[in-house]
């Protein structure tokens, strides 16, 4: 039977978690409701959980004017899937190597990985390096490689898990049975590290899905390679341009009247986060476990 202190702790804990959950959920609900609210009603009455008039015109406008929305979604899915797989391969292999005390230069390599968490070369040198040296400008690689393919935090998280969560005795037994280092990593270490692999996969997937900066910087001509984030960002910029220059453009006011300028922003945000909201519940358990175990310092 629980003591009085335990019951109080449980009640307070539930209240705090309900409050935090509400803080996270209420903005999303308001965002969705605003996206299906009539634009004129939204401008007149502001944001509300109980709008006077519902309308799907914002979504109709996006799919009607942005005829490449399905294509942009395909680019985003391909980018996220490819980037997540490559990121996991690089991160897990590097972290596994750094977790071995007998690795020559282990301290230096670990410091270099940690250094990237604190400093970077800056936007201009990075841009010149990727465009002039690697030639990723106006290619799919420009979305895939710069700044996202490997993350120092993910490497350190995975390294910590390999040190504390994978018993060295099991790895040694595999080596005694004749397994090579790579086979030991692939057959023994990786299956045991599945929770943290799922966690890092989620981190990488979210970064790739939400990224618009690489497309903005490296895709100057190939608009057919725009991800959904880049496409939605360009549509918002076009709407803002029309709004700011309506007096100088003939018939701009007529066109602006047909654009749901406020509700369309909400609809774009919903379209951007919807896949993440759908996928997250399926990896939630591994995500929590991976963060908990991977955060233990070895």
């Amino acid at each position: 039977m629980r003591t009085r202190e335990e019951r109080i702790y449980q009640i307070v804990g539930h209240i705090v978690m309900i409050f935090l959950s509400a803080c996270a959920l209420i903005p999303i609900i308001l965002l969705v409701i605003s996206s299906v609210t009539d634009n004129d009603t939204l401008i007149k009455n502001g944001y509300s959980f109980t709008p006077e008039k519902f309308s799907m015109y914002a979504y109709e406008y996006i799919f009607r004017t942005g005829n490449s929305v399905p294509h942009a979604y395909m680019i985003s899915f391909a980018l996220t899937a490819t980037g997540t797989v490559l990121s996991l391969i690089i991160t897990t292999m590097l972290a596994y190597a750094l977790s071995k005390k007998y690795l020559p230069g282990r301290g230096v390599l670990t410091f270099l990985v940690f250094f990237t968490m604190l400093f970077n070369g800056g936007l201009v040198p990075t841009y010149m390096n990727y465009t002039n040296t690697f030639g990723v400008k106006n290619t799919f690689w420009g979305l895939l490689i710069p700044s996202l393919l490997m993350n120092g935090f993910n490497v350190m998280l995975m390294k910590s898990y390999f040190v504390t969560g994978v018993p060295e005795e099991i790895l040694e037994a595999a080596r005694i049975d004749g397994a090579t280092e790579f086979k030991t990593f692939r057959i023994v270490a990786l299956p045991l590290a599945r929770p943290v692999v799922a966690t890092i996969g989620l981190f990488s997937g979210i970064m790739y899905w939400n990224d618009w900066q690489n497309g903005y910087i490296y895709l100057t001509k190939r608009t057919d390679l725009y991800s959904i984030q880049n496409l939605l960002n360009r549509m918002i910029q076009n709407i803002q341009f029309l709004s700011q220059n309506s007096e100088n453009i003939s018939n701009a006011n007529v066109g602006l009247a047909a654009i749901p300028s406020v509700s369309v922003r909400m609809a774009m945000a919903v379209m951007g986060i919807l896949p993440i909201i759908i996928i997250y519940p399926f990896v939630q358990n591994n995500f929590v476990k991976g963060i908990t175990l991977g955060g233990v310092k070895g």
Side-chain angles (χ1 to χ4, degrees):
M1 185 174 179
R2 296 189 183 93
T3 63
R4 182 173 178 271
E5 289 77 10
E6 290 176 338
R7 289 197 299 270
I8 294 175
Y9 177 81
Q10 187 177 37
I11 293 173
V12 173
H14 279 83
I15 293 174
V16 171
M17 291 306 300
I18 291 173
F19 174 76
L20 294 177
S21 300
C23 289
L25 193 59
I26 288 175
I28 297 177
I29 295 175
L30 183 61
L31 178 69
V32 175
I33 294 176
S34 299
S35 70
V36 294
T37 301
D38 179 69
N39 189 69
D40 294 335
T41 303
L42 203 57
I43 295 174
K44 180 181 178 181
N45 301 330
Y47 301 101
S48 173
F49 289 99
T50 57
E52 294 180 1
K53 184 179 180 181
F54 287 92
S55 173
M56 297 295 294
Y57 182 66
Y59 292 96
E60 295 175 7
Y61 173 82
I62 291 175
F63 282 95
R64 187 175 67 249
T65 58
N67 52 9
S68 55
V69 168
H71 179 73
Y73 263 121
M74 291 178 60
I75 293 292
S76 289
F77 282 121
L79 174 65
T80 302
T82 306
T84 301
V85 171
L86 291 178
S87 178
L88 284 176
I89 292 174
I90 295 173
T91 300
T92 52
M93 294 181 70
L94 177 58
Y96 180 77
L98 293 178
S99 68
K100 301 305 168 187
K101 296 181 180 179
Y102 51 80
L103 176 70
R106 174 175 178 257
V108 176
L109 293 175
T110 302
F111 171 77
L112 292 176
V113 172
F114 178 74
F115 187 82
T116 63
M117 297 170 58
L118 306 177
F119 305 100
N120 61 66
L123 179 60
V124 174
T126 301
Y127 175 81
M128 294 178 63
N129 183 46
Y130 281 118
T131 55
N132 297 337
T133 305
F134 297 102
V136 301
K137 189 174 182 180
N138 291 314
T139 67
F140 183 77
W141 300 106
L143 298 174
L144 183 67
I145 297 178
S147 306
L148 297 175
L149 194 57
M150 192 187 73
N151 183 279
F153 172 77
N154 292 344
V155 174
M156 300 304 292
L157 184 67
M158 178 69 76
K159 170 184 173 292
S160 177
Y161 188 91
F162 279 134
V163 171
T164 60
V166 180
E168 185 63 31
E169 293 78 8
I170 297 179
L171 302 179
E172 188 63 31
R175 298 189 190 100
I176 293 174
D177 289 339
T180 62
E181 195 68 58
F182 180 74
K183 190 174 182 180
T184 302
F185 161 74
R186 181 172 58 88
I187 296 180
V188 180
L190 268 186
L192 292 175
R194 186 172 60 180
V196 74
V197 169
T199 300
I200 292 176
L202 181 63
F203 284 161
S204 299
I206 290 176
M207 285 193 298
Y208 273 107
W209 181 265
N210 289 335
D211 179 66
W212 59 270
Q213 189 173 8
N214 281 350
Y216 188 78
I217 295 174
Y218 297 103
L219 298 182
T220 57
K221 298 179 180 178
R222 296 289 304 277
T223 57
D224 59 304
L225 290 177
Y226 272 3
S227 66
I228 188 64
Q229 308 295 348
N230 292 123
L231 181 64
L232 297 179
N233 182 56
R234 187 181 67 172
M235 292 177 67
I236 291 177
Q237 289 179 340
N238 291 341
I239 293 174
Q240 290 176 342
F241 175 80
L242 289 175
S243 300
Q244 295 171 0
N245 299 275
S246 58
E247 296 180 358
N248 302 324
I249 303 175
S250 60
N251 299 325
N253 289 326
V254 178
L256 281 173
I259 298 176
S261 56
V262 179
S263 61
V264 75
R265 289 179 172 86
M266 305 298 107
M268 290 177 180
V270 171
M271 292 178 61
I273 67 174
L274 184 61
I276 300 298
I277 294 177
I278 294 174
I279 294 173
Y280 179 76
F282 296 98
V283 297
Q284 180 180 5
N285 291 335
N286 284 329
F287 174 76
V288 175
K289 186 176 180 182
I291 284 291
T292 303
L293 297 178
V296 178
K297 294 184 179 180

